[in-house]
């Protein structure tokens, strides 16, 4: 099997755990944050830079790579690892969330999803089998089953229909995938904001049987309290001996909540996206570097950070870069934000090891400005 997982330690005062996830391209220490390289690149970064930040695994996107440059071209190049020169593990999502995001441009049927490209309006169709075929061509270490991401808010009837379709699609994905020695396949839990549907989804997806499980359909616009409630309810229902992945979260508070509930993996475009807009995460909270008050601030972005950006550049300089639209501004902010979250997860792993996770969370929240 491509994916092997073992729990090394469980937290004494939370549901958090330390783990080791073995993939064909390396071993990952969990809990882990995965930078997102949507189109076979973590925006503004070289793969070597991403590795130097401490990233152990990155995520790429099936939908976008299918449209451009095409999965067959990537297969011809020797697979995604070779194509983008990333030698560590890669997780590819199924394209389900992106297709769901197209709204009026897509039509969902039992067979799959017909949609129009957001690029040129051309018609396409992705079924569970097609999603696996694309991901097989990409050659990722971890593939995701094709699912329907239930929107928020949804009626109970729609959430149930959507969740049950996701279960049927998961079975089709597993039946179609054959190269289990080189590529793992994770199932995805859906069910909207309804606990009984989440419970049903866990049963149906775990009965199919996968080497790992993801919780989807959270952080899609619902209040934080509701997200945490669903997370706290769903995570403990998942098998203890398999990795658990919360899809699409990347703010420090959501990462803490995820780990405390027993999640092992998380990903989000947040750190790179806000970096390109001039917002950085620091130990004292978010900082909008474009603001005029930093024009003569010659200190580093974060007094507690030792990333490349903070070692070498001042707030005043980075603000100047953004104000004159220099690409280097976005690069330096991206380096800092990714390092910040990767380092946060390393600190969280150490806190679990030392049985002081809640204490560390309190320290972090107090400085960051969370209540």
């Amino acid at each position: 099997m491509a994916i092997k997982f073992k729990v090394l330690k469980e937290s004494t005062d939370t549901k958090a755990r330390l783990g080791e996830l073995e993939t064909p391209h390396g071993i990952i220490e969990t809990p882990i944050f995965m930078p997102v390289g949507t189109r076979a690149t973590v925006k503004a970064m070289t793969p070597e830079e991403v590795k130097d930040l401490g990233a152990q695994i990155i995520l790429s996107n099936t939908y976008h790579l299918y449209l451009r440059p095409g999965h067959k071209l990537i297969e011809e190049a020797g697979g995604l690892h070779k194509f983008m020169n990333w030698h560590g593990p890669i997780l590819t999502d199924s394209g389900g969330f992106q297709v769901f995001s197209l709204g009026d441009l897509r039509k969902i049927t039992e067979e799959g999803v017909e949609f129009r490209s957001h690029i040129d309006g051309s018609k396409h169709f992705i079924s569970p089998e097609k999603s696996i075929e694309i991901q097989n061509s990409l050659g990722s270490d971890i593939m995701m089953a094709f699912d329907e991401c239930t929107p928020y808010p949804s009626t109970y009837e729609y959430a149930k229909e959507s969740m049950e379709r996701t279960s049927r699609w998961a079975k089709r994905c597993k039946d179609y995938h054959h190269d289990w020695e080189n590529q793992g396949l994770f199932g995805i839990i859906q069910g909207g904001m309804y606990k009984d549907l989440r419970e049903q989804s866990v049963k149906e997806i775990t009965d199919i049987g996968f080497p790992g499980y993801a919780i989807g359909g959270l952080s899609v616009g619902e209040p934080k309290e509701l997200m945490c409630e669903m997370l706290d309810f769903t995570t403990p229902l998942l098998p203890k001996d398999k990795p658990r992945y919360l899809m699409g979260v990347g703010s420090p508070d959501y990462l803490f909540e995820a780990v405390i509930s027993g999640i092992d993996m998380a990903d989000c475009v947040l750190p790179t996206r806000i970096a390109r807009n001039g917002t950085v995460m620091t130990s004292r909270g978010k900082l909008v570097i474009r603001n005029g008050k930093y024009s003569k601030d010659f200190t580093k972005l974060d007094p507690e950070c030792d990333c490349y950006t903070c070692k070498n550049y001042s707030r005043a300089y980075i603000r100047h870069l953004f104000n004159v639209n220099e690409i280097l501004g976005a690069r330096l902010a991206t380096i800092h934000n990714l390092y910040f979250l990767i380092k946060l997860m390393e600190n969280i792993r150490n806190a679990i090891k030392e049985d002081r996770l809640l204490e560390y969370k309190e320290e972090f929240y107090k400085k960051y400005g969370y209540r």
Side-chain angles (χ1 to χ4, degrees):
M1 296 291 283
I3 300 300
K4 294 173 186 168
F5 180 72
K6 57 184 175 185
V7 177
L8 302 177
K9 177 181 169 61
E10 294 185 74
S11 170
T12 54
D13 50 358
T14 70
K15 295 174 187 139
R17 68 248 196 103
L18 287 176
E20 207 172 72
L21 177 61
E22 189 179 328
T23 77
H25 286 85
I27 293 174
I28 301 156
E29 297 175 81
T30 64
I32 191 74
F33 174 77
M34 302 182 283
V36 176
T38 304
R39 297 179 175 91
T41 173
V42 177
K43 288 191 192 301
M45 305 283 287
T46 67
E48 292 80 8
E49 287 171 329
V50 176
K51 184 186 176 187
D52 288 346
L53 293 177
Q56 301 177 55
I57 176 173
I58 61 168
L59 182 146
S60 279
N61 185 271
T62 293
Y63 165 82
H64 288 287
L65 295 177
Y66 159 73
L67 290 177
R68 293 186 300 192
H71 58 294
K72 289 300 179 185
L73 184 147
I74 293 174
E75 185 174 30
E76 198 178 322
L80 191 54
H81 293 87
K82 194 170 181 183
F83 186 59
M84 68 179 292
N85 194 36
W86 171 261
H87 304 295
I90 298 176
L91 182 148
T92 46
D93 66 8
S94 68
F97 178 77
Q98 283 67 37
V99 170
F100 144 79
S101 303
L102 291 171
D104 294 340
L105 295 175
R106 52 97 170 125
K107 180 185 175 186
I108 301 169
T109 65
E110 183 61 30
E111 190 53 36
V113 183
E114 183 183 277
F115 64 94
R116 289 191 177 274
S117 163
H118 71 287
I119 301 161
D120 59 9
S122 56
K123 269 190 179 181
H124 299 269
F125 183 80
I126 293 184
S127 63
E129 293 79 9
K130 184 67 176 179
S131 174
I132 297 301
E133 178 202 317
I134 297 166
Q135 293 181 81
N136 285 157
S137 292
L138 298 177
S140 51
D141 299 79
I142 301 172
M143 309 186 303
M144 301 305 299
F146 193 62
D147 67 322
E148 181 185 346
C149 182
T150 311
Y152 175 84
S154 286
T155 63
Y156 183 86
E157 290 71 24
Y158 186 89
K160 182 175 172 62
E161 181 187 329
S162 171
M163 178 273 295
E164 289 174 344
R165 184 184 293 120
T166 287
S167 294
R168 293 190 294 273
W169 284 358
K171 176 72 166 62
R172 285 166 59 185
C173 286
K174 184 178 179 182
D175 289 346
Y176 190 83
H177 178 50
H178 297 294
D179 191 7
W180 293 93
E181 286 186 15
N182 293 302
Q183 290 182 284
L185 174 63
F186 283 18
I188 303 176
I189 309 302
Q190 290 290 349
M193 303 301 152
Y194 303 98
K195 289 182 179 177
D196 62 323
L197 296 184
R198 288 280 172 182
E199 193 166 6
Q200 183 184 337
S201 182
V202 169
K203 184 178 187 318
E204 290 178 1
I205 299 295
T206 55
D207 280 353
I208 295 168
F210 294 95
Y213 298 94
I215 299 175
L218 293 182
S219 195
V220 289
E222 76 280 7
K224 181 185 174 183
E225 297 73 23
L226 185 54
M227 193 282 288
C228 290
E229 186 183 338
M230 286 298 118
L231 186 62
D232 289 343
F233 175 79
T234 308
T235 310
L237 301 176
L238 294 169
K240 279 192 170 186
D241 62 342
K242 300 287 172 70
R244 303 159 172 173
Y245 165 29
L246 177 60
M247 307 179 81
V249 300
S251 61
D253 55 337
Y254 275 34
L255 291 175
F256 268 106
E257 296 301 337
V259 170
I260 284 168
S261 76
I263 291 292
D264 307 298
M265 307 162 68
D267 79 285
C268 198
V269 297
L270 177 78
T272 50
R273 180 175 288 167
I274 66 172
R276 295 194 302 280
N277 294 322
T279 299
V280 292
M281 292 179 268
T282 78
S283 57
R284 304 300 196 272
K286 278 187 189 173
L287 184 153
V288 181
I289 198 63
R290 290 178 183 271
N291 288 352
K293 64 181 176 179
Y294 302 117
S295 62
K296 293 183 180 180
D297 187 340
F298 304 113
T299 62
K300 58 186 185 176
L301 290 176
D302 185 349
E304 294 184 20
C305 184
D306 61 351
C307 76
Y308 169 80
T309 301
C310 288
K311 280 179 180 173
N312 294 286
Y313 302 100
S314 68
R315 294 176 177 186
Y317 177 65
I318 297 167
R319 176 184 180 273
H320 157 70
L321 294 175
F322 273 101
N323 281 357
V324 294
N325 295 318
E326 282 291 344
I327 294 168
L328 184 58
R331 276 183 40 74
L332 294 178
T334 299
I335 288 168
H336 171 79
N337 278 353
L338 286 175
Y339 182 84
F340 183 84
L341 289 186
I342 290 165
K343 192 71 178 175
L344 171 64
M345 293 304 269
E346 183 187 320
N347 291 339
I348 283 175
R349 290 195 297 272
N350 287 333
I352 296 170
K353 206 176 290 181
E354 296 163 6
D355 286 318
R356 54 180 299 274
L357 180 56
L358 291 180
E359 187 184 330
Y360 175 57
K361 177 191 170 185
E362 194 176 328
E363 289 168 11
F364 182 91
Y365 274 38
K366 193 173 179 181
K367 280 194 289 188
Y368 200 84
Y370 288 137
R371 291 184 178 180

